[in-house]
């Protein structure tokens, strides 16, 4: 079986590739703003072809996010370092240990510190030149500076990812096609599996004992998400075709609502069953104008569910 998958960034080999392969060494891709470089790898005992991919747009976006984190972290570091400067310590080593302890959690910064000895005398007032201090205490001076090496190392990894395939024959699957196939997943049902990360789904609470049940669940999920994706595409296409709009999350009109937004709008619809004279009358309640609009767009089969014939 042949596979194409994204390699986790936590793997040491991936981190090493990010640092050793420059963007200039990569080949421009047909996709605008992308570059890539193919390397051979054997991971988990399986010979593979890894494609190191760089996206210019992703790099700018991720670096901007990183810089915001750095600025926020600097404020936190400076506050804690100022508090430390107001303290004195019994020994020089204790002051050193305090600096090391406070900065060990800093990811983007490092202290530029000087430890100053402060003499203490037994007699009150200003000491004479001939007086000798009875003991010394130590305080810290300095500032918080950027850890340039660590930041540059992080920036080199931004906008990059690694694809892996066990198809080693480039005549059957060349590098450009490998990237195209992976990118195509973003416009198909695969991206819908992101809902598994949603804490509201409680994916961690699912447990299946054997392989057959796992495969059965994947089949059901795959078919459900296919319908989920088709519903989004159908609604977006029909809104454009019929020159209609629906409100998005902030109340603005849109012709490209996400499937999540569409399903959220259907919350609160209930089935009311009224028993009278031995007969049960079934009524759908809480159908608003917007919900009715979407139901009509989805077509006759969906309308039968919400507006059954009497």
């Amino acid at each position: 079986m042949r596979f194409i998958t994204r390699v986790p960034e936590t793997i040491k080999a991936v981190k090493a590739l990010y640092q050793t392969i420059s963007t200039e060494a990569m080949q421009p891709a047909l996709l605008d703003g992308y570059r890539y470089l193919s390397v051979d790898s054997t991971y988990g005992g399986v010979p593979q072809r890894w494609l190191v991919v760089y996206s210019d747009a992703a790099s700018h976006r991720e670096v901007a996010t990183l810089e915001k984190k750095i600025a926020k972290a600097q404020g936190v570091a400076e506050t804690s370092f100022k508090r430390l400067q107001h303290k004195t310590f019994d020994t020089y080593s204790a002051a050193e240990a305090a600096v090391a302890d406070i900065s060990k959690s800093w990811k983007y910064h490092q202290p530029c510190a000087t430890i100053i000895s402060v003499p203490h005398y037994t007699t009150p007032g200003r000491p004479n030149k001939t007086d000798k201090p009875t003991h010394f205490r130590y305080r810290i001076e300095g500032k918080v500076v950027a850890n340039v090496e660590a930041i540059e190392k992080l920036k080199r990894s931004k906008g990059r990812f690694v694809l892996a395939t066990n198809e080693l024959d480039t005549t059957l699957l060349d590098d450009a096609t490998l990237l195209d196939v992976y990118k195509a997943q973003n416009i198909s049902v695969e991206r819908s599996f992101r809902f598994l990360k949603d804490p509201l789904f409680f994916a961690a609470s699912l447990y299946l004992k054997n392989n057959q049940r796992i495969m059965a669940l994947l089949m059901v999920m795959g078919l459900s998400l296919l319908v989920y994706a088709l519903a989004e595409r159908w609604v977006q296409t029909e809104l454009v075709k019929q020159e209609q709009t629906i409100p998005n999350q902030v109340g603005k009109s849109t012709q490209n609502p996400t499937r999540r937004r569409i399903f959220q709008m259907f919350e609160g619809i209930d089935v009311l069953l009224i028993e009278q004279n031995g007969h049960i009358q079934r009524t759908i309640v809480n159908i608003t104008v917007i919900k009715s609009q979407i139901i009509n767009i989805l077509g006759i089969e969906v309308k039968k569910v919400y507006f059954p014939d009497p």
Side-chain angles (χ1 to χ4, degrees):
M1 180 179 292
R2 296 291 179 249
F3 65 77
I4 296 175
T5 186
R6 184 163 175 167
V7 185
E9 295 184 349
T10 53
I11 294 177
K12 289 183 180 180
V14 173
K15 294 179 179 179
L17 288 174
Y18 287 166
Q19 301 306 316
T20 56
I21 297 178
S22 65
T23 305
E24 294 73 19
M26 297 182 179
Q27 175 182 341
L30 295 178
L31 292 170
D32 188 32
Y34 282 86
R35 303 176 73 91
Y36 58 79
L37 181 68
S38 179
V39 296
D40 294 329
S41 173
T42 300
Y43 187 79
V46 179
Q48 302 172 34
R49 179 158 51 100
W50 282 12
L51 193 68
V52 184
V53 183
Y54 169 81
S55 168
D56 189 57
S59 177
H60 283 85
R61 182 175 63 251
E62 293 172 10
V63 168
T65 302
L66 175 63
E67 288 175 345
K68 290 180 181 178
K69 290 181 179 179
I70 292 172
K72 184 177 180 180
Q74 180 167 351
V76 174
E78 287 177 344
T79 299
S80 60
F81 193 65
K82 284 180 181 178
R83 290 174 182 168
L84 189 64
Q85 289 176 300
H86 293 156
K87 298 179 180 180
T88 59
F89 300 88
D90 293 333
T91 63
Y92 187 95
S93 59
E96 277 187 322
V99 174
D101 184 63
I102 201 173
S103 61
K104 66 182 180 182
S105 62
W106 296 353
K107 191 175 181 180
Y108 314 110
H109 299 88
Q110 57 189 4
C112 180
T114 303
I115 299 175
I116 307 297
S117 60
V118 182
H120 284 255
Y121 301 87
T122 54
T123 57
R126 179 179 295 178
N128 296 320
K129 293 182 179 181
T130 58
D131 292 341
K132 294 183 179 181
T134 57
H135 65 282
F136 288 89
R137 291 185 63 82
Y138 300 88
R139 62 182 176 85
I140 300 164
E141 292 184 353
K143 59 182 179 179
V144 175
V145 297
N147 189 336
V148 178
E149 182 179 353
I151 292 173
E152 288 303 315
K153 187 175 181 180
L154 287 170
K155 285 185 177 181
R156 282 197 295 270
S157 67
K158 298 305 178 185
R160 299 188 180 203
F161 59 92
V162 177
L163 301 178
T165 180
N166 59 345
E167 178 55 79
L168 305 180
D169 190 345
T170 56
T171 61
L172 297 177
L173 180 67
D174 59 31
D175 294 337
T177 305
L178 172 58
L179 178 59
D180 289 342
V181 171
Y182 175 77
K183 292 295 293 180
Q185 294 179 354
N186 195 43
I187 56 174
S188 60
V189 71
E190 279 84 353
R191 68 173 181 163
S192 302
F193 279 91
R194 290 181 296 186
F195 82 98
L196 289 171
K197 300 178 182 179
D198 193 323
L200 296 176
F201 185 69
F202 299 105
S205 64
L206 293 176
Y207 176 76
L208 297 175
K209 189 173 182 179
N210 56 53
N211 294 340
Q212 290 81 1
R213 291 182 178 180
I214 294 174
M215 295 303 295
L217 176 63
L218 289 175
M219 175 60 74
V220 172
M221 288 173 57
L223 290 174
S224 300
L225 292 173
L226 176 60
V227 174
Y228 195 40
L230 289 173
E232 178 187 66
R233 180 176 176 82
W234 180 269
V235 170
Q236 292 177 353
T237 302
E238 288 299 310
L239 284 173
V240 174
K241 186 185 299 184
Q242 299 178 27
E243 298 182 350
Q244 298 183 32
T245 62
I246 62 173
N248 61 12
Q249 287 88 334
V250 295
K252 294 184 178 180
S253 298
T254 180
Q255 291 182 321
N256 295 293
T258 63
R259 66 200 81 177
R260 182 165 184 162
R261 171 59 178 163
I262 295 169
F263 276 73
Q264 284 177 337
M265 294 176 72
F266 274 70
E267 292 179 357
I269 297 179
D270 297 311
V271 178
L272 177 63
L273 300 177
I274 302 175
E275 184 176 358
Q276 189 175 18
N277 299 326
H279 297 283
I280 297 178
Q281 181 181 357
R282 178 177 178 271
T283 306
I284 307 295
V285 297
N286 299 328
I287 299 288
T288 64
V289 174
I290 299 298
K291 294 173 183 176
S292 181
Q293 177 189 6
I294 297 173
I295 292 169
N296 287 319
I297 287 174
L298 288 171
I300 187 65
E301 297 300 326
V302 176
K303 288 177 65 176
K304 289 179 181 178
V305 176
Y306 293 93
F307 307 119
D309 295 330

